[in-house]
Amino acid sequence: QQHAPPATLPHDTIELFVAGDADARKKGEPPPPAGCGVVAVESHSDERIFTICGQITTATPGVKTITSNLADLVAFTRALSWAAQDPLANLILARGQADRPICIRYASEYAAMIATGVWKPKKHKAMAEKARQAWKRLKRQKGERLWMQPTGACSTRPPDGCCLLYTSPSPRDAT
């Protein structure tokens, strides 16, 4: 797999668990509820260092319609942006030392392939462009120390068991 992490992650790696979800769209009805989540975890200790979660609406920048793929793409983009900007992910190091590596753990192949430019978007083009720009920026910063790996069909939770998909209020509670 392209961008696969090493068998053993370096001690200072930050793992970003990302996921999004939306109810099914119904023709002629308002956009369904949707949400996304990102949890940043220290790989050596499983300590949570940052959490992003929230609802996604058509007022969200880059969002025109709401689907599960779109929710996953928003989550992936937010994770990339956090990793590029937050001081926890970009510690100032002595000359010659490498920046902290990032490993993105994702449930959606769609979001990962669109963000990295492997797939071309047919829908959600504005968000896809935001995701691609965020990936390119972080790739420039981290180089070969930026990895991603699928979490598996049933594993959208970081080690502490936090559920990434449901915000407060949960998209499911709105129905």
Side-chain angles (χ1 to χ4, degrees):
Q1 170 202 332
Q2 191 177 21
H3 310 295
T8 302
L9 291 175
H11 183 75
D12 59 341
T13 302
I14 295 175
E15 293 181 83
L16 296 174
F17 291 82
V18 301
D21 198 19
D23 284 345
R25 290 187 317 176
K26 294 180 182 152
K27 195 171 186 168
E29 292 189 16
C36 69
V38 178
V39 173
V41 176
E42 294 274 4
S43 67
H44 68 278
S45 68
D46 289 341
E47 178 185 344
R48 185 186 312 197
I49 56 175
F50 190 77
T51 302
I52 307 168
C53 57
Q55 290 184 316
I56 301 166
T57 68
T58 53
T60 303
V63 173
K64 292 182 180 179
T65 62
I66 307 282
T67 66
S68 284
N69 279 344
L70 182 277
D72 283 318
L73 196 54
V74 169
F76 209 92
T77 304
R78 288 181 180 171
L80 293 168
S81 296
W82 177 85
Q85 297 170 7
D86 195 279
L88 288 172
N90 299 288
L91 299 175
I92 298 178
L93 303 170
R95 178 171 248 178
Q97 285 185 305
D99 199 2
R100 293 187 78 177
I102 300 289
C103 184
I104 301 170
R105 307 287 188 180
Y106 62 91
S108 169
E109 182 180 27
Y110 171 83
M113 296 301 110
I114 292 292
T116 58
V118 173
W119 293 353
K120 303 276 185 243
K122 294 179 182 172
K123 296 180 180 178
H124 316 303
K125 291 183 180 186
M127 184 54 66
E129 183 58 28
K130 285 179 176 285
R132 266 196 239 106
Q133 293 305 315
W135 173 262
K136 287 177 184 177
R137 178 180 178 197
L138 188 58
K139 189 68 175 164
R140 277 192 305 272
Q141 283 178 241
K142 303 293 181 180
E144 295 304 312
R145 291 171 59 89
L146 173 59
W147 309 296
M148 60 181 194
Q149 185 173 49
T151 56
C154 297
S155 178
T156 58
R157 295 173 185 261
D160 67 2
C162 164
C163 182
L164 299 176
L165 296 178
Y166 301 108
T167 60
S168 181
S170 162
R172 300 278 190 255
D173 293 341
T175 57

